[in-house]
Amino acid sequence: MNVPTTHVSTSADTHADTQIIPLDLGEHSYNITVSYDLKESLADVLAPWNKGQQWVVLTQQAIFDLYAPVIEKLQVSGYRIHPIIVPGDESAKNIAHAEKVWTQMVELGCDRSSIVLAMGGGVVGDLGGFVASTYMRGIPVIQLPTTLLAMVDSAIGGKTAVNLPAGKNLVGAIYQPKAVLVDPSFLKTLPRRNVISSLAEAVKYGFIRDTVIYDLFINEFDKLASLEDKALLAEIIARSCNIKAQIVSNDQFEGGERKLLNFGHTIGHAFETIHEYGGLYHGEAVLYGMKCASYISHKKGLLDDESYATAMSVLNQFPLPPLGDVSADRVLDIVSHDKKNINGTLSFILVDGIGNGVISTDVTSSDIVESLSVVK
Ligand code: GLY
């Protein structure tokens, strides 16, 4: 279990405004609310969904220990709250844990009106969404992400999943939450490496869609990486949520545009697998993967020399652990088994100019092998 150790200091009194970002999906529309210290007024924030029914707060022990007063406050305000604790690491994301949660919910008397509040990072969010999507054929879920990765990516867009021994996220559903509540003040109890590496997903939005985010990473990286400028952090988070919301609104089921979110993830996933999801954080693997994808974009004439040089210097600002010896054959093997390949065709995300992600089906094995030269 990841027990937070290093505390990130944040300046105490600069509170960014609340930002409400709509995710437009017809009857499944919802808002992403970004607001510092939102957790302090959670009873009010959740009030529109509280009809006196049972609430399951799905979380992990370290978060429960740190934020028990937040949960207690809900109880005191009259919410019928039942915390359910699951492991904080990837081991929670399997069908056995889902079954344990379903069973506890039955024992607690949860019915079709009950709500799941998934309070945690990607593991809790994916498991919570999956459990909610299937319990009594589907009950509402609200995402309360506590990691930066979850705030800017995994809590948004309705991807829910558990893993199989054969691979990650092989069983799940697209099941939209009723709301995503983003309180960046959760980040202050996370290890710095966890937060900084997760900025990878934000810079990804810069590469594929938003040159304002990209420019912030060029001009303000040190301030961002210090995690001390609350307004800047909130701006990056809200802009990232906005891009994700736009993309998911256009393509909920990943028929096309949503694939752009995989920029850096195809080769990054191979690096993550080689390190067995241990030595390298997801964001770090994606940073390495974005270097390779930028290399291929340049090789194919989609990024000019200057843009490529800038892209690499943006990515090189991030501290990264050494990648070690990655065998090209192993990378190709993992890429060829990626579940995102359809009928054997690899959809590889490149950038045709910064801010313009494109789906390419003509990235070859030799392009991938060649690109590894920039990360060795
Ligand atoms: N994390 C990528 C997606 O939600 O599509």
Side-chain angles (χ1 to χ4, degrees):
M1 184 176 295
N2 286 333
V3 179
T5 47
T6 314
H7 288 231
V8 175
S9 63
T10 50
S11 55
D13 26 350
T14 43
H15 282 239
D17 294 330
T18 297
Q19 310 211 41
I20 311 246
I21 298 148
L23 201 158
D24 188 5
L25 288 171
E27 61 176 320
H28 299 295
S29 298
Y30 54 96
N31 286 333
I32 303 158
T33 303
V34 181
S35 180
Y36 264 95
D37 297 323
L38 171 152
K39 63 180 173 327
E40 309 310 332
S41 50
L42 206 51
D44 293 336
V45 175
L46 294 176
W49 295 279
N50 191 30
K51 310 276 183 271
Q53 75 284 55
Q54 319 229 47
W55 289 73
V56 167
V57 179
L58 195 77
T59 193
Q60 64 181 93
Q61 193 64 50
I63 295 169
F64 184 76
D65 292 346
L66 280 165
Y67 297 108
V70 170
I71 297 170
E72 277 156 21
K73 229 190 219 176
L74 288 174
Q75 273 161 340
V76 170
S77 308
Y79 284 73
R80 294 167 68 200
I81 294 284
H82 306 285
I84 294 184
I85 308 289
V86 292
D89 59 15
E90 199 67 26
S91 73
K93 262 180 66 175
N94 63 30
I95 207 75
H97 276 289
E99 186 178 350
K100 274 189 200 161
V101 178
W102 291 319
T103 304
Q104 285 182 72
M105 288 170 68
V106 172
E107 286 165 4
L108 290 165
C110 293
D111 60 20
R112 299 212 63 222
S113 71
S114 304
I115 302 194
V116 174
L117 179 66
M119 181 178 181
V123 166
V124 166
D126 283 9
L127 179 68
F130 178 70
V131 162
S133 73
T134 41
Y135 186 75
M136 297 195 175
R137 301 199 179 91
I139 63 170
V141 58
I142 291 177
Q143 295 283 352
L144 181 60
T146 59
T147 64
L148 184 59
L149 201 68
M151 290 176 194
V152 298
D153 183 19
S154 62
I156 303 164
K159 280 192 178 174
T160 77
V162 290
N163 302 329
L164 291 182
K168 274 180 57 136
N169 298 330
L170 290 182
V171 177
I174 301 273
Y175 186 74
Q176 299 299 338
K178 294 293 174 204
V180 180
L181 306 174
V182 176
D183 178 352
S185 71
F186 277 116
L187 303 179
K188 69 181 179 212
T189 52
L190 282 175
R192 287 178 61 83
R193 182 178 163 198
N194 182 307
V195 183
I196 290 172
S197 62
S198 302
L199 286 171
E201 297 290 353
V203 80
K204 175 191 80 179
Y205 295 122
F207 273 87
I208 62 166
R209 188 55 63 86
D210 186 340
T211 51
V212 175
I213 294 187
Y214 190 75
D215 289 345
L216 284 172
F217 275 93
I218 294 177
N219 299 321
E220 308 279 11
F221 184 81
D222 290 341
K223 238 197 236 176
L224 260 173
S226 78
L227 306 173
E228 281 177 5
D229 188 328
K230 292 174 80 173
L232 184 61
L233 205 49
E235 184 183 352
I236 286 283
I237 291 171
R239 278 191 167 275
S240 298
C241 292
N242 198 32
I243 303 295
K244 176 119 190 207
Q246 280 174 22
I247 290 176
V248 173
S249 297
N250 291 337
D251 177 24
Q252 181 178 193
F253 295 106
E254 204 168 312
E257 188 178 338
R258 190 165 179 171
K259 290 188 182 140
L260 298 178
L261 299 174
N262 295 324
F263 180 66
H265 284 61
T266 302
I267 298 181
H269 170 68
F271 296 151
E272 214 176 350
T273 306
I274 289 167
H275 284 264
E276 293 184 340
Y277 304 107
L280 213 52
Y281 283 26
H282 176 73
E284 292 165 349
V286 170
L287 283 160
Y288 275 123
M290 287 191 284
K291 292 185 190 188
C292 296
S294 300
Y295 176 91
I296 298 171
S297 303
H298 177 240
K299 182 186 169 194
K300 295 205 175 283
L302 301 176
L303 270 188
D304 61 32
D305 292 348
E306 194 187 333
S307 305
Y308 174 57
T310 309
M312 292 307 271
S313 59
V314 166
L315 296 170
N316 284 335
Q317 295 176 105
F318 286 83
L320 286 173
L323 191 54
D325 218 7
V326 288
S327 116
D329 285 347
R330 184 101 167 89
V331 170
L332 289 179
D333 185 48
I334 296 165
V335 167
S336 70
H337 286 101
D338 195 310
K339 68 176 177 307
K340 294 190 181 73
N341 301 340
I342 310 274
N343 291 334
T345 303
L346 171 66
S347 292
F348 199 101
I349 310 307
L350 300 175
V351 279
D352 186 0
I354 296 300
N356 187 28
V358 290
I359 303 168
S360 168
T361 49
D362 56 50
V363 171
T364 63
S365 298
S366 62
D367 293 329
I368 293 174
V369 172
E370 214 181 286
S371 77
L372 297 178
S373 62
V374 289
V375 296
K376 284 192 168 163

